[in-house]
Amino acid sequence: RAIVERSVVLAHRLMPAVTLHHRFWPPGRPLSLDYPQRSLYENLRLSAQRHPTRSMIVFHGASIDYASCLDRVDRLAGFLQHDCGVARGDRVLLYLQNSPQWILAYYAILRADAMVVPVNAMLRAAELAHVAADSGAAVAFAAQDLVAELPPDLRRTIVVTYRDCAGDAPSPEAPEAVRAAPLPLPASPAGAFVRWTDALAAGRRPDAHLAGPGDLAVMPYSSGTTGRPKGCVHTHRSAMATALMHARWGDWGDAPVVLATLPLFHVTGMQSNMNAPILLGATIVLLQRWDRDAAAAAIERHRVTSWGCITTMAIDLLSAPGIERRDLSSLRRIGGGGAAMPAAIAARLRELTGLEYIEGYGLSETIAPTHINPPHRAKRQCAGVPLFDVDARVVDPVSLRELAPNETGEIVVHGPQLFTGYWNDPRATAEALVEIDAKRFLRTGDIGHYDDDGYFFVTDRLKRMINAAGFKVWPAEVEAMMYAHPEIQEACVIAAHDERRGETVKAVVVLRPGAAADAAPAAIAAWCREHMAAYKVPRIVEVVDALPRSATGKVMWRDLQERESRQDRSEPTD
């Protein structure tokens, strides 16, 4: 028997990486999917036909059914086409926090045959200006408290007041932004700003829907080592792929109720909290921002069955006073990614809910997951196995030679969810995509391996990137912004350990000669908070006399990172 078992193991080791994990495939699931050849908007239309009176969105006390959502989407699409001049293939900015308006605007843009450009609501004016200029967007949806950050040359902006979709009386626990009354529109040329309610009231009907699977659908921006965010171009076909993969991988039940706490501008939230649920005809219980008490209350009140979250949200929920007395029994699936789930937290979550936290892995370039753990056989701190129709391998980063199980190299992926490339950046596209066995693979820039079962583990990064509570922070981008500080001569951004976020941003700076007193570390951090998104702001600022340099004059950021890592390891623990 032992000889037979060793022979089986040896045979599995000789299997290609793309099939090793098939032994642990979720029961009852096919190895390959038949992907609908239609636009994402059609998913909403079909779900509205099947479940017209079912609640599609529940938002801080208010509920909107599928038929009403479809009607609002169509009216907004008509307004975009007939009043804003949006045509097929145009790009439209979506600059809001989580809200029904975010979802409705997203699908209205698609219904108008245009492409959604989701924007992180934490971005400030300079960051937003780059996205608007690079994408060529002339029209935007923007929250009323964010309008001041918009570029002045946009043709039309539809201004959103969150309260308009929160019912007549928003729940008392709703965030202040949801309860806020409408603000005056900015002074501008006639018609440059229009209220969301007025756009709906115009009652425009859209032209015939022309977009198909090959049309532009959504373009999330992903930063890179050059310091400039790049648009990841996705068609309806690639976005549909991961939405369907999400919908088919796990057990959602007959009438899923999904708690949406991830930011919808991020591809994981967009697909797992919005597009997959709408494809399934699910109810989306939406929080405007993360609040552990509101999340626990929503699970109880609405009998939530599915919760997609990042690790830090799960940690925060478990630390809420009295959480063990909450009724979380309706949950049947919990999962997410962003950072590895600590074993102790996973055990606590399992004790509380009886469920395993199902980890996954994906990128903006793949519009969310390429890997997810099998629900019936999950491994801890593991990216999971390649999803339907995904070919994932590990290669030598230099030679691209394919490596065997348990050999460390760069993870590359091929599948139907791959982007078409970076917007207007053929050089970056060519660097990101390689051909292996006549297939187009994405170089993820992540270092890892797969084990004898075909499960993938991410262990390091080929790219220079900081993972702060699931938000990807690119040091070169932060450094480029910090050089605008009048007293900073040089800056090098690295990762520092953080108990809650996993990693946080640290800036090592050299000041200009005769720097003013306001160049103290705390003052520099305060300046950064005014000029960049909160998750990018260095939580630690260290002032030094000089940065380490190589013989060619390049800043040796790895030396600083290794020194920081050694300090983290040497700190005493309780």
Side-chain angles (χ1 to χ4, degrees):
R1 179 178 176 179
I3 294 173
V4 170
E5 288 178 350
R6 282 197 296 271
S7 299
V8 170
V9 169
L10 178 61
H12 285 150
R13 286 180 177 174
L14 296 175
M15 293 170 66
V18 72
T19 58
L20 270 174
H21 60 285
H22 287 172
R23 294 174 292 151
F24 312 108
W25 203 250
R29 301 293 190 270
L31 294 176
S32 179
L33 295 179
D34 184 14
Y35 301 94
Q37 297 302 300
R38 59 176 186 251
S39 77
L40 287 174
Y41 163 81
E42 291 295 325
N43 293 341
L44 169 61
R45 186 184 64 79
L46 292 170
S47 288
Q49 283 184 347
R50 291 192 295 265
H51 313 290
T53 60
R54 177 180 292 176
S55 293
M56 176 173 138
I57 305 171
V58 176
F59 182 68
H60 295 291
S63 177
I64 313 172
D65 64 33
Y66 267 90
S68 297
C69 284
L70 180 64
D71 175 64
R72 296 184 198 189
V73 163
D74 287 350
R75 281 188 280 156
L76 287 169
F79 189 85
L80 289 173
Q81 291 176 327
H82 303 305
D83 294 75
C84 302
V86 171
R88 189 176 185 177
D90 284 353
R91 281 74 61 204
V92 179
L93 299 179
L94 190 45
Y95 186 42
L96 314 168
Q97 292 190 39
N98 282 9
S99 57
Q101 290 97 325
W102 205 103
I103 298 174
L104 299 176
Y106 182 99
Y107 276 87
I109 295 167
L110 299 180
R111 175 62 180 85
D113 302 322
M115 181 162 68
V116 179
V117 181
V119 182
N120 185 339
M122 290 188 284
L123 294 192
R124 307 305 292 266
E127 301 161 309
L128 184 61
H130 166 71
V131 174
D134 185 69
S135 67
V139 176
F141 288 86
Q144 62 177 2
D145 58 321
L146 298 175
V147 168
E149 305 289 343
L150 291 169
D153 55 349
L154 291 178
R155 184 170 67 237
R156 205 81 187 268
T157 298
I158 299 172
V159 180
V160 168
T161 302
Y162 298 124
R163 183 172 179 171
D164 292 334
C165 283
D168 296 331
S171 57
E173 69 271 16
E176 182 179 349
V178 175
R179 293 181 277 108
L183 298 173
L185 293 179
S188 66
F193 293 95
V194 60
R195 295 189 187 279
W196 169 275
T197 49
D198 292 336
L200 283 173
R204 304 285 191 257
R205 305 311 299 177
D207 298 332
H209 185 45
L210 302 177
D215 278 89
L216 301 177
V218 58
M219 185 164 66
Y221 269 74
S222 174
S223 298
T225 55
T226 61
R228 278 295 194 179
K230 303 188 295 293
C232 300
V233 179
H234 283 282
T235 63
H236 289 270
R237 180 180 289 111
S238 60
M240 179 75 79
T242 46
L244 186 64
M245 289 176 186
H246 260 303
R248 294 297 305 276
W249 188 251
D251 178 16
W252 293 73
D254 295 330
V257 180
V258 177
L259 177 62
T261 58
L262 294 171
L264 296 176
F265 73 81
H266 191 279
V267 291
T268 303
M270 183 190 305
Q271 295 292 67
S272 68
N273 287 184
M274 183 182 72
N275 284 335
I278 287 174
L279 174 66
L280 290 165
T283 295
I284 302 168
V285 179
L286 184 63
L287 297 188
Q288 193 241 6
R289 59 177 175 79
W290 170 247
D291 181 306
R292 67 186 185 185
D293 295 324
I299 294 171
E300 281 187 317
R301 183 179 305 128
H302 302 291
R303 306 302 295 161
V304 167
T305 60
S306 176
W307 181 32
C309 62
I310 58 174
T311 303
T312 49
M313 289 178 178
I315 293 171
D316 199 29
L317 183 75
L318 290 174
S319 64
I323 188 62
E324 66 280 352
R325 295 190 295 275
R326 293 283 198 173
D327 181 6
L328 309 181
S329 61
S330 60
L331 286 169
R332 58 192 299 163
R333 58 189 302 274
I334 305 175
M341 170 62 75
I345 300 301
R348 175 82 172 99
L349 193 64
R350 184 170 58 250
E351 179 185 341
L352 187 66
T353 66
L355 300 172
E356 292 285 353
Y357 181 85
I358 305 301
E359 298 179 66
Y361 167 81
L363 306 95
S364 296
E365 289 84 351
T366 60
I367 199 158
T370 57
H371 297 66
I372 300 180
N373 272 271
H376 68 296
R377 195 180 185 274
K379 294 190 179 185
R380 294 274 63 81
Q381 300 183 326
C382 171
V385 302
L387 286 168
F388 310 96
D389 307 301
V390 172
D391 182 350
R393 308 184 189 187
V394 176
V395 300
D396 181 278
V398 178
S399 67
L400 299 183
R401 176 180 62 87
E402 187 173 349
L403 303 178
N406 302 305
E407 292 186 330
T408 297
E410 183 180 2
I411 298 171
V412 296
V413 294
H414 164 85
Q417 67 270 66
L418 252 61
F419 72 152
T420 62
Y422 294 112
W423 182 257
N424 289 335
D425 199 337
R427 180 177 177 179
T429 301
E431 291 174 351
L433 298 172
V434 295
E435 186 171 299
I436 302 174
D437 294 340
K439 293 180 180 180
R440 192 177 66 136
F441 280 80
L442 171 72
R443 300 190 64 166
T444 68
D446 286 318
I447 299 298
H449 66 275
Y450 61 92
D451 64 13
D452 292 328
D453 294 332
Y455 285 65
F456 279 69
F457 295 80
V458 179
T459 56
D460 204 344
R461 303 182 188 95
L462 186 64
K463 300 174 184 175
R464 187 182 169 200
M465 185 267 285
I466 301 167
N467 188 344
F471 287 100
K472 291 184 177 181
V473 180
W474 298 94
E477 182 184 2
V478 178
E479 290 165 1
M481 289 186 284
M482 291 189 73
Y483 276 110
H485 190 290
E487 305 294 354
I488 290 179
Q489 179 172 301
E490 290 184 296
C492 183
V493 171
I494 58 176
H497 177 70
D498 184 276
E499 288 294 337
R500 186 172 181 275
R501 304 172 86 208
E503 290 181 336
T504 195
V505 183
K506 177 177 179 177
V508 183
V509 302
V510 177
L511 300 179
R512 295 183 185 277
D518 63 357
I524 292 173
W527 182 92
C528 290
R529 283 192 291 273
E530 294 178 1
H531 291 83
M532 61 185 76
Y535 68 92
K536 300 176 187 176
V537 172
R539 303 291 181 93
I540 305 169
V541 177
E542 179 185 354
V543 177
V544 297
D545 293 332
L547 297 176
R549 293 185 179 278
S550 68
T552 59
K554 292 184 178 179
V555 174
M556 299 173 67
W557 67 268
R558 289 186 187 276
D559 285 3
L560 292 174
Q561 186 64 75
E562 289 171 3
R563 185 191 71 179
E564 182 68 27
S565 298
R566 287 195 299 271
Q567 289 177 347
D568 289 338
R569 289 194 296 268
S570 65
E571 289 179 354
T573 56
D574 293 334

